[in-house]
Amino acid sequence: MMRFLLLFSRQGKLRLQKWFTPLPERERKKIVRDMTTLVLARKPRTCNFLHWKDLKIVYKRYASLYFCCALEEQENELLALEILHRYVELLDKYFGNVCELDIIFNFEKAYFILDEFLMGGEVQETSKQSIANSIEASDMLQETMEEYMSKPAF
Amino acid sequence: MSPSVRLQELIRVIRSARTQCEERGVIQRECAAIREQFRQNDNGGRSHNLAKLLYVHMLGYPAHFGQMECVRLIASPRYSEKRIGYLGAMMLLDEKQDASLLITNSIKNDLSHSSQYVQSLALCTLACMGSAEMCRDLAPEIERLLKASNSYIKKKATLCAVHIIRKVPELGEMFTPSAHSLLSEKNHGVLHGAVVLITELCERNTQTLDNFRKAVPELVQIMKGLVMSGYSPEHNVAGISDPFLQVRILRLLRILGRNNDRASDAMNDLLAQVATNTDSTKTAGSAVLYETVLTVMDIRSESGLRVLAVNILGRFLLNNDRNIRYISMTSLLKIVQTDHNAVQRHRGTIVDCLKDQDASVQRRALELSLALVSSVNIRSLMKELLLFLSTCPPELRAHAASGIFIAAEKYAPSQRWHIDTILHVLTTAGSDVRDETVPNLIQLITSASELHCYTVHKLYRALVTDISQQPLVQVACWCIGEYGDLLLKGDCEETEPVQVTEDDVLDALETVLQSHMSSPATRAFALTATMKLSTRITENVDRIRSIVSIYGSCIDVELQQRAVEYNALFRKYDHMRAAVLERMPVIDKGQTNGEMSANNIKDLEQTDVKIPEVPLPSNQLCLEVCDLLDLLGGSEEPLQPSQAPPSSVPTPSSTGTGQDLLDLLGGVCPAPVPVVTGVTVYEKNGLTVTLQCDQRTETSVTVSLLASNSTDSDITSFSLQAAVPKSVQLQMKAPSGDVVPAHGAGQVTQTVILMNPNKVNLKMRVRVSYSSQGSFCQDTAQIDSFPTTAWS
């Protein structure tokens, strides 16, 4: 299973954090610091896998954002790269040519999409179209309720 | 700032703050406003406020006051509020917070909500942060959803069930029946979830595992369908149909086929098909192939298939993509023990990877190269490894150095080669080697008597070039002290002769003594070496005398003590100097210090003065024992605390003055020759502890406990504790060390004296504690009868 998924910028600012195991706040902050240091220190043409404690860290850089996840020992690292790529594709489809600002200003939507794709550290749905449909339907549900209540969402 | 400012506005304001201080100010004001709003129970803006709070939380600011608000929002009937409430719960609440229990009821209600999207929110939150309590409460609900719902909910319920099993393994039985039926679903999401669920169930319970073996044909069918099916736009990734599902199925097959011939047979064809048909130009295909290879190597596959798998790994090794090279080396490392020859074929490529720029790839290549060392390829491989050592990143140096030593020890084609290799390592990575290297190397040098001349020349040259690498300097000083006469003679068949005068040698040693780079131990070595040279050189004895007397007032206690003793050796005991500083005999590897030294100086016994037994110095000081003078100086050192409860380490009554030289020199009790036969006291995990009886009198027994290790890795933190019946007194000497080297390369010895004045039946209980292969073990063994000595 995936233990956590982090998105951070080249300056080390956290843009999204998803934890699949219960950890105290202090522990989480420390892990974020460790990950950003480790990943940002990597040279450009090195492989995307690292070893940290007893976990395998898989990271990939997309434009100005680093997508970094931690796997347990028996997981397939190459598949994790595919998972990260799939998530980026989902974001891209939703926001239309996604960039870091989209994720900053609409972080809650990024989380909703992630929650449709991964659950409990495992892949939930393998079809891109299906996920896109669910997100759309949920957004519709939210909007119609808001229109009814005549107030904006956030 | 208006309290109901929108989220995006807030984000903009925070980002435009120019300093950290300004940002903090903005956030503090906003949080105060949010807190106020939460208290007022304002209906309209609640979701805005929580969203703002979650953003602030992600920046690293405290947001615990939002927890109750999450609970309230989850209970709200509006979808938008539920959505943000559940998100807040996943971010702010975890099972350690009390507030998390409060949402259990809301989740329960939402699990039966009419809208599937509300149900999905509840399922997602439960799978993310559900505590064991919550899982127990809601498990029946989840089970219901597994069976009777649409596929959207089914797939989520399945993963929720996986989480429940992880938290509360006993509930696995509840989900086992439904898990099997889920395999007949068509929806890939549900199928994937089902495979994950079955994997989880099988990993936790062997009975369930046996049960699910009958699902192997079904899984094989599904897999075949995926591999052979035409292009399916919904699931296609770079030409592979649903790689996520394929990898998961392969992993499940691996677990089911492990150690089971029938199951392995059933999947042989499929694995061969996947291995040959999968296109590995893109990562997705490589991921599937990688999983296939792992599965083939783990189950009882036929040899043709195994060869195919190793060939795939070999192909991966040549791939341009670094990721693929990395994982191929990781897999090769796993199989190098079992399929050694197959991996040997790729040795060339692996050695090339040592030169890669990527540290992860280099690390894997290093581990694999060390595993591939054999007596056949030792020379060529060692050349590469030494080259690597000089250019490798610092974090890998210690690992590389110790690996090289182990390999050299196992497969050295000649002693000279072995010594050369060790010297090479010491000059390139001297500061990263382990402490035992120095005594080991010295032992090796003494045993290669025909190479003394060659060795001392080489070491002298190394010393003159560079005195910063402590282990090298220590060995060099010892050798120069010991074999200085060979160095001064100047002619040596094996290397170019170099004219070294006595002054040069003394200059070198003095440089070491005075340099600030030398550690205290190194300086001690250098001082002793200088002293030893006084019998091996002819002209500059006065210079030595003056050096030694200077250090008589040195601040370092060890140096001062030595210098004072050597001074005494010059003045009062000059007649003994030659005998004391004689050439050392060959050291036997693995013997305890006490016994060895006693054997060696038996002939030097001058008087019959009765002296207390010299306590065994610790492993780190074992080098001291090799040098006779050091034994005399070293025995005054504070001893390692011994482990037994009623322990009393006898300290020698003397302190460092010239008087003691005589006492200790004459008085070391000759330890009896150790009895070859011993009783095995404890044998487990490759660790064997035997008991040998050294001496037996009417009222006391002296025994030695020897520990040896037959596993592949060293046993560390080894310690023994002993207890005896009440009337018996126990005295445990310091053990010879606390690391038991692998493959029986050495032993740890501990002497125990039992005083039995009442002559009761002797029994002893020994507690062994050690760390082996990463895990800590503690065991007790009972010794009911003590063996008699061989010669009593």
Side-chain angles (χ1 to χ4, degrees), chain A residues 45 47-48 75-76 116 119 122 124-127 137 139 146, chain B residues 78 80 83 117 152 155-156 166 242 248 291 322-323 358:
Chain A
R45 268 187 308 274
C47 74
N48 297 76
E75 296 290 324
N76 186 325
E116 284 294 326
M119 195 159 114
E122 306 282 353
Q124 203 187 124
E125 176 60 66
T126 55
S127 153
D139 283 346
E146 292 316 316
Chain B
R78 291 172 59 181
S80 60
R83 218 179 181 195
Y117 298 107
Y152 180 72
K155 76 181 184 224
K156 292 182 189 261
R166 284 185 183 145
D242 207 340
R248 268 323 208 151
E291 199 70 32
R322 265 203 190 85
N323 293 336
D358 181 351

PDB file of all heavy atoms in Angstrom, chain A residues 45 47-48 75-76 116 119 122 124-127 137 139 146, chain B residues 78 80 83 117 152 155-156 166 242 248 291 322-323 358:
ATOM      1  N   ARG A  45      19.300  13.880 -13.862  1.00  0.00           N
ATOM      2  CA  ARG A  45      19.094  12.647 -14.639  1.00  0.00           C
ATOM      3  C   ARG A  45      19.326  11.390 -13.816  1.00  0.00           C
ATOM      4  O   ARG A  45      19.932  10.449 -14.266  1.00  0.00           O
ATOM      5  CB  ARG A  45      20.005  12.648 -15.874  1.00  0.00           C
ATOM      6  CG  ARG A  45      19.328  13.234 -17.087  1.00  0.00           C
ATOM      7  CD  ARG A  45      20.180  13.064 -18.332  1.00  0.00           C
ATOM      8  NE  ARG A  45      21.535  13.561 -18.129  1.00  0.00           N
ATOM      9  CZ  ARG A  45      21.894  14.813 -18.296  1.00  0.00           C
ATOM     10  NH1 ARG A  45      21.008  15.702 -18.657  1.00  0.00           N
ATOM     11  NH2 ARG A  45      23.139  15.195 -18.069  1.00  0.00           N
ATOM     12  N   CYS A  47      17.691   8.229 -11.240  1.00  0.00           N
ATOM     13  CA  CYS A  47      16.469   7.444 -11.316  1.00  0.00           C
ATOM     14  C   CYS A  47      15.456   7.947 -10.296  1.00  0.00           C
ATOM     15  O   CYS A  47      15.792   8.665  -9.366  1.00  0.00           O
ATOM     16  CB  CYS A  47      16.757   5.962 -11.126  1.00  0.00           C
ATOM     17  SG  CYS A  47      17.129   5.480  -9.456  1.00  0.00           S
ATOM     18  N   ASN A  48      14.197   7.556 -10.492  1.00  0.00           N
ATOM     19  CA  ASN A  48      13.122   8.140  -9.688  1.00  0.00           C
ATOM     20  C   ASN A  48      12.863   7.420  -8.385  1.00  0.00           C
ATOM     21  O   ASN A  48      11.825   7.629  -7.779  1.00  0.00           O
ATOM     22  CB  ASN A  48      11.819   8.128 -10.503  1.00  0.00           C
ATOM     23  CG  ASN A  48      11.939   8.982 -11.731  1.00  0.00           C
ATOM     24  OD1 ASN A  48      12.558   8.575 -12.693  1.00  0.00           O
ATOM     25  ND2 ASN A  48      11.361  10.159 -11.683  1.00  0.00           N
ATOM     26  N   GLU A  75       5.682  -3.392  -2.901  1.00  0.00           N
ATOM     27  CA  GLU A  75       5.004  -2.706  -3.989  1.00  0.00           C
ATOM     28  C   GLU A  75       5.895  -2.583  -5.217  1.00  0.00           C
ATOM     29  O   GLU A  75       7.121  -2.631  -5.124  1.00  0.00           O
ATOM     30  CB  GLU A  75       4.591  -1.294  -3.543  1.00  0.00           C
ATOM     31  CG  GLU A  75       3.585  -1.262  -2.435  1.00  0.00           C
ATOM     32  CD  GLU A  75       2.220  -1.736  -2.883  1.00  0.00           C
ATOM     33  OE1 GLU A  75       1.842  -1.463  -4.034  1.00  0.00           O
ATOM     34  OE2 GLU A  75       1.546  -2.380  -2.079  1.00  0.00           O
ATOM     35  N   ASN A  76       5.266  -2.363  -6.352  1.00  0.00           N
ATOM     36  CA  ASN A  76       5.948  -2.270  -7.633  1.00  0.00           C
ATOM     37  C   ASN A  76       6.234  -0.795  -7.926  1.00  0.00           C
ATOM     38  O   ASN A  76       5.302  -0.008  -8.122  1.00  0.00           O
ATOM     39  CB  ASN A  76       5.021  -2.878  -8.691  1.00  0.00           C
ATOM     40  CG  ASN A  76       5.692  -2.976 -10.041  1.00  0.00           C
ATOM     41  OD1 ASN A  76       6.474  -2.125 -10.413  1.00  0.00           O
ATOM     42  ND2 ASN A  76       5.354  -4.024 -10.766  1.00  0.00           N
ATOM     43  N   GLU A 116     -11.166  10.053  -5.504  1.00  0.00           N
ATOM     44  CA  GLU A 116     -11.862   9.178  -6.440  1.00  0.00           C
ATOM     45  C   GLU A 116     -10.908   8.172  -7.065  1.00  0.00           C
ATOM     46  O   GLU A 116     -11.325   7.162  -7.615  1.00  0.00           O
ATOM     47  CB  GLU A 116     -12.499  10.003  -7.575  1.00  0.00           C
ATOM     48  CG  GLU A 116     -13.756  10.740  -7.189  1.00  0.00           C
ATOM     49  CD  GLU A 116     -14.906   9.807  -6.861  1.00  0.00           C
ATOM     50  OE1 GLU A 116     -15.016   8.739  -7.480  1.00  0.00           O
ATOM     51  OE2 GLU A 116     -15.700  10.143  -5.961  1.00  0.00           O
ATOM     52  N   MET A 119      -7.718   5.066  -2.613  1.00  0.00           N
ATOM     53  CA  MET A 119      -8.425   4.968  -1.348  1.00  0.00           C
ATOM     54  C   MET A 119      -7.678   3.995  -0.461  1.00  0.00           C
ATOM     55  O   MET A 119      -7.303   2.902  -0.915  1.00  0.00           O
ATOM     56  CB  MET A 119      -9.837   4.448  -1.598  1.00  0.00           C
ATOM     57  CG  MET A 119     -10.747   4.643  -0.439  1.00  0.00           C
ATOM     58  SD  MET A 119     -12.441   4.597  -0.965  1.00  0.00           S
ATOM     59  CE  MET A 119     -13.009   3.152  -0.185  1.00  0.00           C
ATOM     60  N   GLU A 122      -4.583   2.343  -1.904  1.00  0.00           N
ATOM     61  CA  GLU A 122      -4.664   1.468  -3.076  1.00  0.00           C
ATOM     62  C   GLU A 122      -5.409   2.163  -4.196  1.00  0.00           C
ATOM     63  O   GLU A 122      -6.203   3.063  -3.962  1.00  0.00           O
ATOM     64  CB  GLU A 122      -5.426   0.182  -2.717  1.00  0.00           C
ATOM     65  CG  GLU A 122      -4.892  -0.551  -1.521  1.00  0.00           C
ATOM     66  CD  GLU A 122      -3.649  -1.352  -1.831  1.00  0.00           C
ATOM     67  OE1 GLU A 122      -3.275  -1.439  -3.006  1.00  0.00           O
ATOM     68  OE2 GLU A 122      -3.041  -1.878  -0.899  1.00  0.00           O
ATOM     69  N   GLN A 124      -8.257   2.756  -6.727  1.00  0.00           N
ATOM     70  CA  GLN A 124      -9.678   2.487  -6.564  1.00  0.00           C
ATOM     71  C   GLN A 124     -10.323   2.194  -7.910  1.00  0.00           C
ATOM     72  O   GLN A 124     -11.183   1.335  -8.024  1.00  0.00           O
ATOM     73  CB  GLN A 124     -10.283   3.755  -5.990  1.00  0.00           C
ATOM     74  CG  GLN A 124     -11.548   3.644  -5.260  1.00  0.00           C
ATOM     75  CD  GLN A 124     -12.038   5.049  -4.940  1.00  0.00           C
ATOM     76  OE1 GLN A 124     -13.142   5.413  -5.288  1.00  0.00           O
ATOM     77  NE2 GLN A 124     -11.203   5.842  -4.319  1.00  0.00           N
ATOM     78  N   GLU A 125      -9.929   2.974  -8.898  1.00  0.00           N
ATOM     79  CA  GLU A 125     -10.563   2.878 -10.198  1.00  0.00           C
ATOM     80  C   GLU A 125      -9.501   2.998 -11.260  1.00  0.00           C
ATOM     81  O   GLU A 125      -8.661   3.890 -11.205  1.00  0.00           O
ATOM     82  CB  GLU A 125     -11.589   4.025 -10.342  1.00  0.00           C
ATOM     83  CG  GLU A 125     -12.277   4.119 -11.681  1.00  0.00           C
ATOM     84  CD  GLU A 125     -13.049   2.860 -12.028  1.00  0.00           C
ATOM     85  OE1 GLU A 125     -14.033   2.564 -11.343  1.00  0.00           O
ATOM     86  OE2 GLU A 125     -12.650   2.170 -12.977  1.00  0.00           O
ATOM     87  N   THR A 126      -9.552   2.090 -12.236  1.00  0.00           N
ATOM     88  CA  THR A 126      -8.481   2.118 -13.232  1.00  0.00           C
ATOM     89  C   THR A 126      -8.903   2.767 -14.531  1.00  0.00           C
ATOM     90  O   THR A 126      -8.115   2.855 -15.461  1.00  0.00           O
ATOM     91  CB  THR A 126      -8.023   0.672 -13.537  1.00  0.00           C
ATOM     92  OG1 THR A 126      -9.151  -0.090 -13.940  1.00  0.00           O
ATOM     93  CG2 THR A 126      -7.382   0.060 -12.320  1.00  0.00           C
ATOM     94  N   SER A 127     -10.137   3.238 -14.597  1.00  0.00           N
ATOM     95  CA  SER A 127     -10.595   3.843 -15.829  1.00  0.00           C
ATOM     96  C   SER A 127     -10.655   5.352 -15.664  1.00  0.00           C
ATOM     97  O   SER A 127     -11.349   5.863 -14.786  1.00  0.00           O
ATOM     98  CB  SER A 127     -11.980   3.289 -16.174  1.00  0.00           C
ATOM     99  OG  SER A 127     -12.696   4.220 -16.928  1.00  0.00           O
ATOM    100  N   ALA A 137     -20.249  14.435 -11.811  1.00  0.00           N
ATOM    101  CA  ALA A 137     -21.554  14.252 -11.175  1.00  0.00           C
ATOM    102  C   ALA A 137     -21.572  14.848  -9.778  1.00  0.00           C
ATOM    103  O   ALA A 137     -22.550  15.496  -9.374  1.00  0.00           O
ATOM    104  CB  ALA A 137     -21.894  12.764 -11.134  1.00  0.00           C
ATOM    105  N   ASP A 139     -19.744  17.322  -8.687  1.00  0.00           N
ATOM    106  CA  ASP A 139     -19.760  18.776  -8.813  1.00  0.00           C
ATOM    107  C   ASP A 139     -21.149  19.272  -9.155  1.00  0.00           C
ATOM    108  O   ASP A 139     -21.602  20.298  -8.622  1.00  0.00           O
ATOM    109  CB  ASP A 139     -18.775  19.229  -9.899  1.00  0.00           C
ATOM    110  CG  ASP A 139     -17.340  19.187  -9.415  1.00  0.00           C
ATOM    111  OD1 ASP A 139     -17.151  19.074  -8.183  1.00  0.00           O
ATOM    112  OD2 ASP A 139     -16.419  19.268 -10.240  1.00  0.00           O
ATOM    113  N   GLU A 146     -26.229  24.399  -4.438  1.00  0.00           N
ATOM    114  CA  GLU A 146     -25.870  25.783  -4.166  1.00  0.00           C
ATOM    115  C   GLU A 146     -26.798  26.735  -4.891  1.00  0.00           C
ATOM    116  O   GLU A 146     -27.194  27.760  -4.342  1.00  0.00           O
ATOM    117  CB  GLU A 146     -24.418  26.055  -4.583  1.00  0.00           C
ATOM    118  CG  GLU A 146     -23.400  25.330  -3.728  1.00  0.00           C
ATOM    119  CD  GLU A 146     -23.708  25.388  -2.258  1.00  0.00           C
ATOM    120  OE1 GLU A 146     -24.074  26.483  -1.759  1.00  0.00           O
ATOM    121  OE2 GLU A 146     -23.614  24.365  -1.583  1.00  0.00           O
TER     122      GLU A 146
ATOM    123  N   ARG B  78     -26.601  19.262   3.731  1.00  0.00           N
ATOM    124  CA  ARG B  78     -26.189  19.784   2.438  1.00  0.00           C
ATOM    125  C   ARG B  78     -24.961  19.059   1.933  1.00  0.00           C
ATOM    126  O   ARG B  78     -23.995  18.832   2.669  1.00  0.00           O
ATOM    127  CB  ARG B  78     -25.862  21.277   2.560  1.00  0.00           C
ATOM    128  CG  ARG B  78     -27.110  22.099   2.815  1.00  0.00           C
ATOM    129  CD  ARG B  78     -26.762  23.524   3.116  1.00  0.00           C
ATOM    130  NE  ARG B  78     -26.022  24.134   2.000  1.00  0.00           N
ATOM    131  CZ  ARG B  78     -25.573  25.369   2.012  1.00  0.00           C
ATOM    132  NH1 ARG B  78     -25.770  26.114   3.074  1.00  0.00           N
ATOM    133  NH2 ARG B  78     -24.924  25.871   0.997  1.00  0.00           N
ATOM    134  N   SER B  80     -22.603  20.033  -0.212  1.00  0.00           N
ATOM    135  CA  SER B  80     -21.356  20.787  -0.244  1.00  0.00           C
ATOM    136  C   SER B  80     -20.729  20.835   1.140  1.00  0.00           C
ATOM    137  O   SER B  80     -19.509  20.725   1.286  1.00  0.00           O
ATOM    138  CB  SER B  80     -21.594  22.205  -0.749  1.00  0.00           C
ATOM    139  OG  SER B  80     -22.497  22.849   0.130  1.00  0.00           O
ATOM    140  N   ARG B  83     -19.252  17.459   1.972  1.00  0.00           N
ATOM    141  CA  ARG B  83     -18.017  17.189   1.223  1.00  0.00           C
ATOM    142  C   ARG B  83     -16.816  17.806   1.911  1.00  0.00           C
ATOM    143  O   ARG B  83     -15.788  17.155   2.085  1.00  0.00           O
ATOM    144  CB  ARG B  83     -18.172  17.794  -0.170  1.00  0.00           C
ATOM    145  CG  ARG B  83     -17.574  16.952  -1.250  1.00  0.00           C
ATOM    146  CD  ARG B  83     -17.786  17.606  -2.598  1.00  0.00           C
ATOM    147  NE  ARG B  83     -17.223  16.776  -3.649  1.00  0.00           N
ATOM    148  CZ  ARG B  83     -17.002  17.186  -4.887  1.00  0.00           C
ATOM    149  NH1 ARG B  83     -17.307  18.418  -5.233  1.00  0.00           N
ATOM    150  NH2 ARG B  83     -16.490  16.379  -5.774  1.00  0.00           N
ATOM    151  N   TYR B 117     -23.131   9.415  -3.946  1.00  0.00           N
ATOM    152  CA  TYR B 117     -21.953  10.258  -3.716  1.00  0.00           C
ATOM    153  C   TYR B 117     -21.768  10.551  -2.248  1.00  0.00           C
ATOM    154  O   TYR B 117     -20.636  10.706  -1.781  1.00  0.00           O
ATOM    155  CB  TYR B 117     -22.060  11.535  -4.551  1.00  0.00           C
ATOM    156  CG  TYR B 117     -22.089  11.190  -6.019  1.00  0.00           C
ATOM    157  CD1 TYR B 117     -23.269  11.285  -6.758  1.00  0.00           C
ATOM    158  CD2 TYR B 117     -20.957  10.689  -6.643  1.00  0.00           C
ATOM    159  CE1 TYR B 117     -23.301  10.909  -8.090  1.00  0.00           C
ATOM    160  CE2 TYR B 117     -20.981  10.311  -7.963  1.00  0.00           C
ATOM    161  CZ  TYR B 117     -22.163  10.419  -8.683  1.00  0.00           C
ATOM    162  OH  TYR B 117     -22.201  10.024  -9.992  1.00  0.00           O
ATOM    163  N   TYR B 152     -20.122   1.249  -8.427  1.00  0.00           N
ATOM    164  CA  TYR B 152     -19.436   2.430  -7.905  1.00  0.00           C
ATOM    165  C   TYR B 152     -19.219   2.280  -6.400  1.00  0.00           C
ATOM    166  O   TYR B 152     -18.133   2.516  -5.886  1.00  0.00           O
ATOM    167  CB  TYR B 152     -20.267   3.669  -8.220  1.00  0.00           C
ATOM    168  CG  TYR B 152     -19.676   4.964  -7.729  1.00  0.00           C
ATOM    169  CD1 TYR B 152     -18.557   5.521  -8.334  1.00  0.00           C
ATOM    170  CD2 TYR B 152     -20.246   5.648  -6.650  1.00  0.00           C
ATOM    171  CE1 TYR B 152     -18.003   6.710  -7.882  1.00  0.00           C
ATOM    172  CE2 TYR B 152     -19.695   6.840  -6.202  1.00  0.00           C
ATOM    173  CZ  TYR B 152     -18.589   7.365  -6.813  1.00  0.00           C
ATOM    174  OH  TYR B 152     -18.041   8.536  -6.354  1.00  0.00           O
ATOM    175  N   LYS B 155     -16.932  -1.020  -5.381  1.00  0.00           N
ATOM    176  CA  LYS B 155     -15.467  -0.935  -5.419  1.00  0.00           C
ATOM    177  C   LYS B 155     -14.955  -0.174  -4.202  1.00  0.00           C
ATOM    178  O   LYS B 155     -13.922  -0.519  -3.623  1.00  0.00           O
ATOM    179  CB  LYS B 155     -14.984  -0.308  -6.722  1.00  0.00           C
ATOM    180  CG  LYS B 155     -15.158   1.186  -6.799  1.00  0.00           C
ATOM    181  CD  LYS B 155     -14.673   1.741  -8.121  1.00  0.00           C
ATOM    182  CE  LYS B 155     -14.789   3.256  -8.086  1.00  0.00           C
ATOM    183  NZ  LYS B 155     -15.323   3.884  -9.234  1.00  0.00           N
ATOM    184  N   LYS B 156     -15.694   0.851  -3.790  1.00  0.00           N
ATOM    185  CA  LYS B 156     -15.247   1.582  -2.608  1.00  0.00           C
ATOM    186  C   LYS B 156     -15.414   0.767  -1.339  1.00  0.00           C
ATOM    187  O   LYS B 156     -14.562   0.802  -0.448  1.00  0.00           O
ATOM    188  CB  LYS B 156     -16.013   2.893  -2.498  1.00  0.00           C
ATOM    189  CG  LYS B 156     -15.655   3.848  -3.609  1.00  0.00           C
ATOM    190  CD  LYS B 156     -16.387   5.171  -3.470  1.00  0.00           C
ATOM    191  CE  LYS B 156     -16.185   6.011  -4.707  1.00  0.00           C
ATOM    192  NZ  LYS B 156     -15.159   7.026  -4.558  1.00  0.00           N
ATOM    193  N   ARG B 166      -7.023  -4.445   7.850  1.00  0.00           N
ATOM    194  CA  ARG B 166      -5.705  -4.018   8.311  1.00  0.00           C
ATOM    195  C   ARG B 166      -5.758  -3.554   9.744  1.00  0.00           C
ATOM    196  O   ARG B 166      -4.815  -3.746  10.503  1.00  0.00           O
ATOM    197  CB  ARG B 166      -5.184  -2.879   7.430  1.00  0.00           C
ATOM    198  CG  ARG B 166      -4.696  -3.378   6.108  1.00  0.00           C
ATOM    199  CD  ARG B 166      -4.072  -2.288   5.277  1.00  0.00           C
ATOM    200  NE  ARG B 166      -3.689  -2.837   3.974  1.00  0.00           N
ATOM    201  CZ  ARG B 166      -3.749  -2.173   2.847  1.00  0.00           C
ATOM    202  NH1 ARG B 166      -4.169  -0.941   2.828  1.00  0.00           N
ATOM    203  NH2 ARG B 166      -3.387  -2.737   1.713  1.00  0.00           N
ATOM    204  N   ASP B 242      -5.071  -2.189 -18.901  1.00  0.00           N
ATOM    205  CA  ASP B 242      -5.190  -2.101 -17.449  1.00  0.00           C
ATOM    206  C   ASP B 242      -3.990  -2.685 -16.701  1.00  0.00           C
ATOM    207  O   ASP B 242      -4.088  -3.728 -16.053  1.00  0.00           O
ATOM    208  CB  ASP B 242      -6.475  -2.781 -16.961  1.00  0.00           C
ATOM    209  CG  ASP B 242      -6.943  -2.175 -15.654  1.00  0.00           C
ATOM    210  OD1 ASP B 242      -6.109  -1.539 -14.978  1.00  0.00           O
ATOM    211  OD2 ASP B 242      -8.121  -2.324 -15.311  1.00  0.00           O
ATOM    212  N   ARG B 248      -1.627  -6.345 -10.048  1.00  0.00           N
ATOM    213  CA  ARG B 248      -2.244  -6.838  -8.815  1.00  0.00           C
ATOM    214  C   ARG B 248      -2.549  -8.316  -8.895  1.00  0.00           C
ATOM    215  O   ARG B 248      -2.344  -9.070  -7.937  1.00  0.00           O
ATOM    216  CB  ARG B 248      -3.534  -6.079  -8.549  1.00  0.00           C
ATOM    217  CG  ARG B 248      -3.381  -4.865  -7.695  1.00  0.00           C
ATOM    218  CD  ARG B 248      -2.385  -5.074  -6.630  1.00  0.00           C
ATOM    219  NE  ARG B 248      -2.670  -4.261  -5.488  1.00  0.00           N
ATOM    220  CZ  ARG B 248      -2.357  -4.577  -4.259  1.00  0.00           C
ATOM    221  NH1 ARG B 248      -1.761  -5.681  -4.001  1.00  0.00           N
ATOM    222  NH2 ARG B 248      -2.648  -3.768  -3.271  1.00  0.00           N
ATOM    223  N   GLU B 291       6.706  -7.368 -12.532  1.00  0.00           N
ATOM    224  CA  GLU B 291       5.911  -8.143 -11.588  1.00  0.00           C
ATOM    225  C   GLU B 291       5.900  -9.614 -11.992  1.00  0.00           C
ATOM    226  O   GLU B 291       5.967 -10.503 -11.142  1.00  0.00           O
ATOM    227  CB  GLU B 291       4.481  -7.585 -11.558  1.00  0.00           C
ATOM    228  CG  GLU B 291       3.693  -7.978 -10.346  1.00  0.00           C
ATOM    229  CD  GLU B 291       4.173  -7.321  -9.072  1.00  0.00           C
ATOM    230  OE1 GLU B 291       4.664  -6.177  -9.140  1.00  0.00           O
ATOM    231  OE2 GLU B 291       4.086  -7.954  -8.016  1.00  0.00           O
ATOM    232  N   ARG B 322      17.186   4.602 -16.613  1.00  0.00           N
ATOM    233  CA  ARG B 322      17.839   4.293 -15.339  1.00  0.00           C
ATOM    234  C   ARG B 322      16.914   3.567 -14.373  1.00  0.00           C
ATOM    235  O   ARG B 322      17.353   2.712 -13.615  1.00  0.00           O
ATOM    236  CB  ARG B 322      18.306   5.567 -14.661  1.00  0.00           C
ATOM    237  CG  ARG B 322      19.700   5.863 -14.972  1.00  0.00           C
ATOM    238  CD  ARG B 322      20.343   6.727 -13.946  1.00  0.00           C
ATOM    239  NE  ARG B 322      21.623   7.136 -14.487  1.00  0.00           N
ATOM    240  CZ  ARG B 322      21.791   8.173 -15.290  1.00  0.00           C
ATOM    241  NH1 ARG B 322      20.762   8.920 -15.597  1.00  0.00           N
ATOM    242  NH2 ARG B 322      22.969   8.457 -15.787  1.00  0.00           N
ATOM    243  N   ASN B 323      15.656   3.947 -14.384  1.00  0.00           N
ATOM    244  CA  ASN B 323      14.702   3.308 -13.470  1.00  0.00           C
ATOM    245  C   ASN B 323      14.677   1.814 -13.687  1.00  0.00           C
ATOM    246  O   ASN B 323      14.686   1.023 -12.747  1.00  0.00           O
ATOM    247  CB  ASN B 323      13.288   3.836 -13.712  1.00  0.00           C
ATOM    248  CG  ASN B 323      13.170   5.279 -13.329  1.00  0.00           C
ATOM    249  OD1 ASN B 323      13.929   5.761 -12.518  1.00  0.00           O
ATOM    250  ND2 ASN B 323      12.220   5.958 -13.916  1.00  0.00           N
ATOM    251  N   ASP B 358      24.299   7.968 -10.952  1.00  0.00           N
ATOM    252  CA  ASP B 358      23.207   7.989  -9.992  1.00  0.00           C
ATOM    253  C   ASP B 358      23.572   7.179  -8.755  1.00  0.00           C
ATOM    254  O   ASP B 358      23.935   6.016  -8.868  1.00  0.00           O
ATOM    255  CB  ASP B 358      21.978   7.386 -10.695  1.00  0.00           C
ATOM    256  CG  ASP B 358      20.767   7.374  -9.817  1.00  0.00           C
ATOM    257  OD1 ASP B 358      20.883   7.664  -8.616  1.00  0.00           O
ATOM    258  OD2 ASP B 358      19.696   7.064 -10.347  1.00  0.00           O
TER     259      ASP B 358
END
